[in-house]
Amino acid sequence: MAKSLPLRSEVPVEDTWDLRSLFSSEEEFYQALSALEEHANSFQQQYSGKVADASSIIEALTAYAALYEKLVPLSTYASLVLSTDQTDDAAQMLSSKFGSVAAKISSKLAFLNSELLALPEEMLQQAMNESEEFKVYLEKLIRKKQYQLHPEVEKTLAAYSPTFSAPYGLYNTTKMVDMKFDDFEVNGKNHPLSYVSFEGDWEAEPNVELRRAAFNAFSAKLKDYQHTTAKTYDMQLQTEKTTSDLRGYDSIFDYLLFNQEVDQSLYNRQIDLIMKELAPHMRKYAKLLQDVHGLGKMTFADLKISLDPSYEPEITVEESKKYINEALAIMGPDYLEMVDRSYSERWIDFAQNTGKSTGAFCSSPYGDHPYILISWTGRMNEVFVLAHELGHAGHFYNANREQNVFNARPSLYFIEAPSTMNEMLVANHLLESSNDPQFKRWVISSIVARTYYHNFVTHLLEAAYQRKVYERIDAGQSVNAGILNNLKRGVLEEFWGDAVEITPGAELTWMRQPHYYMGLYPYTYSAGLTISTQVSKRILKEGQPAVDDWIEVLKAGGTKTPVELAKMGGVDITTEQPLRDTIAYIGELVDELVKLTEEIKVK
């Protein structure tokens, strides 16, 4: 169990990532930022009002891509420095400085899209015919034409971009800087509590008294900040609604799904089917946890416990490499080289420290290697977490090398497919490595409790709640803490029924998720895992041909829609079948856990 978290300055350097391939120092960062501002001025002077034919379109976009490539490492560095210690004054100032300069640059560059869209569409088509490199960029730009505002309005909106992103910054400041957790007491003994220790340790604590006491103490602190956090979130929502209305979208859902290149049918299907058809399987799983642990009642605070906590081994960072390499070997030597470099070249930040962002993420800047943030607690399930983030890394490691800076990033709808694919590969590898019933149960329970619970339950329930929030906002209403608490509690009660007691504090889990500041993101986890489940089955059945297809999907980046990318991998997401098959597969896993538990009891 993690003790009180150290300061960032106190953690071993080998547990931290090395950002020097971005910038060797803050001084170099500020110099590059100043140079980029001058570059933007020059670009504006050179091309504003002078893009008039196909050749000048291609010339301007070539110069724009070169400029944008210089912006990416600056943005990444500012974000990553702050993410490892949001209490650091210098990191706060650096991030703020980047935000203000980036807004100025964005405002100066806003003319380009406006002027391109003012040209006859035939001219844009001619540029696409003459330059395959910018075909996707121009196609996507033409799609946006009906929602484009007057050039001066676009310029003004770009200048205000830091203000529009301010709610997310306020959320993180409240969560990671202002919110301080006191120790909690159980049977006369004090225990340290923090965001990281709760989500990394206490939620899965086998001792029911400690676990529930930690949940109560954590929830009590969240409650102290519920009104500020709700107001911050409402600011985000109202900004999105205003933008949606100004640009002429039919609904806020159409606005937020536009860049995902999917319509509301795919969005709603993901939420509706899982809420209805997965719930019975997960209630059976909750009942199994209750029986195995001998709990008089199953509460929301008990849902993250391991089915067999005595069997789950601890694992070091060094030991994790073996599991990762063996599980992902099927992806080929180039992919494994990327994995090896992520360890040896310190692409990964493993440290636990005060002020560090919660959860895990992968940032993959164009022109550089990926960076992964994780707070390593030593639990075996973190092999799945790391494999997940390496899935994002492998995706952009391939896409960034194959595509230009505009074409590398796919739709948000697809973004979680490569990451969850790696979790499935780890699970499949572990299942093949032993026939021991207890080990097999541990692996399957890890798939259910980590991979599917996280992506098909935690994030999907967030999506169901988020849809109810946006329905209010789209109707011209607002939200406060009381409304958000009621909406969240209602979704939890609908899904878990009478299998789980939704105890006080469960309704506050909406405060824990930064994804709400990223549009309609939570549902995409289940969408991605639906695709990766089906492709992983193909890989088990067909082997190398399926792997080869998947590598081509990764390389395609954002040059195709989610439907097209899934089809390349052999999955048709225009129908309900892949989702229904995946839900049925989860049901089979839960049934297998029940069966294995009975076998182990008999022994």
Side-chain angles (χ1 to χ4, degrees):
M1 178 59 65
K3 304 300 180 184
S4 297
L5 294 178
L7 299 174
R8 180 69 178 180
S9 59
E10 297 171 342
V11 300
V13 67
E14 60 268 22
D15 291 343
T16 66
W17 53 27
D18 184 357
L19 302 183
R20 287 177 296 179
S21 66
L22 289 169
F23 295 101
S24 61
S25 64
E26 289 187 6
E27 181 182 4
E28 185 183 4
F29 167 86
Y30 283 116
Q31 289 172 350
L33 187 60
S34 178
L36 185 65
E37 194 169 8
E38 289 302 315
H39 189 166
N41 290 337
S42 299
F43 178 87
Q44 183 184 36
Q45 291 168 9
Q46 185 172 356
Y47 293 103
S48 181
K50 300 171 185 174
V51 181
D53 54 29
S55 62
S56 60
I57 291 172
I58 295 168
E59 181 186 338
L61 286 176
T62 301
Y64 182 50
L67 192 155
Y68 196 78
E69 285 182 25
K70 293 180 180 179
L71 178 65
V72 171
L74 287 160
S75 173
T76 304
Y77 186 82
S79 172
L80 297 187
V81 167
L82 186 62
S83 69
T84 53
D85 187 2
Q86 296 190 45
T87 68
D88 185 286
D89 287 343
Q92 291 174 14
M93 293 303 101
L94 185 145
S95 177
S96 179
K97 177 65 174 178
F98 170 78
S100 63
V101 173
K104 293 177 184 176
I105 291 173
S106 182
S107 183
K108 291 179 188 300
L109 302 180
F111 77 89
L112 181 60
N113 284 345
S114 295
E115 291 189 13
L116 288 174
L117 288 176
L119 296 172
E121 195 166 317
E122 297 78 20
M123 193 177 294
L124 298 179
Q125 187 63 53
Q126 183 183 346
M128 283 188 265
N129 293 337
E130 293 181 11
S131 176
E132 183 70 23
E133 184 175 7
F134 299 116
K135 184 174 184 291
V136 174
Y137 181 90
L138 290 170
E139 285 175 343
K140 291 181 178 181
L141 186 63
I142 291 170
R143 266 189 81 220
K144 291 181 179 178
K145 185 170 185 176
Q146 63 179 310
Y147 305 115
Q148 190 80 357
L149 301 174
H150 187 278
E152 287 302 314
V153 177
E154 293 290 349
K155 181 178 179 180
T156 302
L157 289 175
Y160 272 100
S161 55
T163 304
F164 297 148
S165 61
Y168 182 43
L170 287 172
Y171 167 79
N172 279 322
T173 299
T174 302
K175 177 180 175 179
M176 302 309 305
V177 181
D178 285 343
M179 202 177 290
K180 306 294 184 186
F181 293 87
D182 297 325
D183 292 355
F184 66 96
E185 183 182 331
V186 175
N187 296 326
K189 183 178 179 181
N190 286 339
H191 301 273
L193 183 64
S194 67
Y195 240 110
V196 171
S197 67
F198 178 75
E199 295 188 340
D201 286 304
W202 290 118
E203 273 194 307
E205 167 60 45
N207 184 298
V208 61
E209 193 173 7
L210 281 174
R211 181 175 67 251
R212 291 178 179 175
F215 176 83
N216 290 337
F218 184 77
S219 299
K221 181 56 64 175
L222 291 183
K223 191 172 183 179
D224 289 343
Y225 289 86
Q226 64 176 324
H227 298 296
T228 299
T229 307
K231 187 63 178 176
T232 301
Y233 184 33
D234 190 53
M235 289 166 55
Q236 173 76 19
L237 296 166
Q238 299 303 332
T239 299
E240 290 171 335
K241 172 61 174 170
T242 301
T243 304
S244 171
D245 289 346
L246 280 175
R247 292 195 178 279
Y249 288 90
D250 291 337
S251 74
I252 196 169
F253 293 98
D254 291 327
Y255 164 57
L256 294 172
L257 289 171
F258 183 85
N259 285 336
Q260 293 187 23
E261 299 177 296
V262 296
D263 59 29
Q264 288 192 48
S265 65
L266 270 71
Y267 168 71
N268 288 321
R269 176 207 296 164
Q270 208 69 25
I271 297 172
D272 292 339
L273 272 180
I274 294 177
M275 285 293 292
K276 180 181 178 181
E277 299 188 11
L278 180 63
H281 299 307
M282 295 312 299
R283 290 171 188 172
K284 181 187 288 190
Y285 174 69
K287 184 67 168 62
L288 178 62
L289 283 177
Q290 182 180 1
D291 291 345
V292 168
H293 285 269
L295 301 175
K297 62 179 180 180
M298 187 70 182
T299 76
F300 186 80
D302 302 319
L303 286 169
K304 294 293 184 72
I305 53 178
S306 171
L307 190 59
D308 188 357
S310 65
Y311 194 79
E312 182 169 350
E314 292 187 355
I315 186 169
T316 65
V317 167
E318 187 62 30
E319 290 167 342
S320 72
K321 290 168 65 175
K322 175 178 179 292
Y323 289 97
I324 296 287
N325 281 330
E326 289 176 352
L328 302 185
I330 194 169
M331 295 295 286
D334 183 64
Y335 199 98
L336 277 191
E337 181 189 11
M338 182 273 299
V339 173
D340 288 339
R341 288 181 63 198
S342 72
Y343 282 93
S344 63
E345 297 178 16
R346 289 174 48 212
W347 298 1
I348 309 170
D349 198 276
F350 292 102
Q352 292 190 63
N353 62 263
T354 300
K356 186 174 179 179
S357 293
T358 58
F361 67 73
C362 177
S363 178
S364 300
Y366 191 86
D368 195 27
H369 60 70
Y371 295 87
I372 292 171
L373 179 141
I374 184 173
S375 293
W376 192 263
T377 64
R379 293 183 183 275
M380 182 66 180
N381 73 350
E382 283 174 345
V383 172
F384 286 90
V385 180
L386 186 53
H388 178 106
E389 301 308 334
L390 285 167
H392 287 305
H395 187 186
F396 289 103
Y397 187 75
N398 279 280
N400 287 351
R401 291 185 300 178
E402 296 290 328
Q403 308 297 335
N404 68 31
V405 68
F406 299 133
N407 294 352
R409 192 168 186 83
S411 158
L412 199 62
Y413 184 94
F414 189 82
I415 210 78
E416 295 298 338
S419 54
T420 52
M421 166 62 78
N422 278 13
E423 294 190 53
M424 298 305 299
L425 293 177
V426 169
N428 291 342
H429 167 70
L430 291 174
L431 282 174
E432 292 171 355
S433 67
S434 173
N435 290 319
D436 176 66
Q438 193 171 14
F439 179 78
K440 189 175 181 182
R441 183 177 74 160
W442 175 81
V443 175
I444 294 174
S445 67
S446 294
I447 302 170
V448 172
R450 223 305 313 171
T451 300
Y452 283 108
Y453 190 101
H454 187 69
N455 299 291
F456 258 71
V457 180
T458 298
H459 288 318
L460 197 281
L461 293 181
E462 290 164 358
Y465 150 83
Q466 186 184 43
R467 183 170 64 176
K468 291 180 181 294
V469 171
Y470 277 118
E471 285 170 352
R472 283 186 60 89
I473 301 303
D474 213 34
Q477 299 173 301
S478 58
V479 296
N480 60 23
I483 290 168
L484 295 174
N485 289 343
N486 288 335
L487 290 176
K488 186 63 179 180
R489 174 173 287 278
V491 167
L492 293 175
E493 290 175 342
E494 178 186 351
F495 186 82
W496 291 111
D498 59 7
V500 177
E501 181 179 333
I502 308 302
T503 44
E507 73 281 359
L508 296 168
T509 53
W510 64 266
M511 295 177 63
R512 295 166 55 183
Q513 186 50 267
H515 290 161
Y516 297 137
Y517 297 84
M518 304 172 189
L520 297 176
Y521 188 13
Y523 91 102
T524 66
Y525 281 85
S526 63
L529 185 51
T530 298
I531 296 168
S532 61
T533 297
Q534 301 308 312
V535 176
S536 68
K537 286 183 177 181
R538 268 198 70 203
I539 290 174
L540 280 176
K541 183 179 179 180
E542 302 174 25
Q544 197 60 48
V547 173
D548 292 343
D549 285 347
W550 189 243
I551 294 294
E552 290 306 308
V553 171
L554 302 184
K555 289 178 179 179
T559 59
K560 298 183 182 300
T561 68
V563 169
E564 292 169 335
L565 290 170
K567 188 175 181 180
M568 285 176 68
V571 184
D572 183 4
I573 59 171
T574 63
T575 73
E576 294 181 349
Q577 201 57 46
L579 179 55
R580 288 188 182 277
D581 288 347
T582 301
I583 292 172
Y585 176 63
I586 299 171
E588 293 169 7
L589 292 176
V590 173
D591 289 342
E592 182 70 8
L593 287 177
V594 173
K595 178 184 172 184
L596 287 168
T597 298
E598 290 302 316
E599 286 182 18
I600 292 167
K601 276 184 183 177
V602 171
K603 287 188 176 183

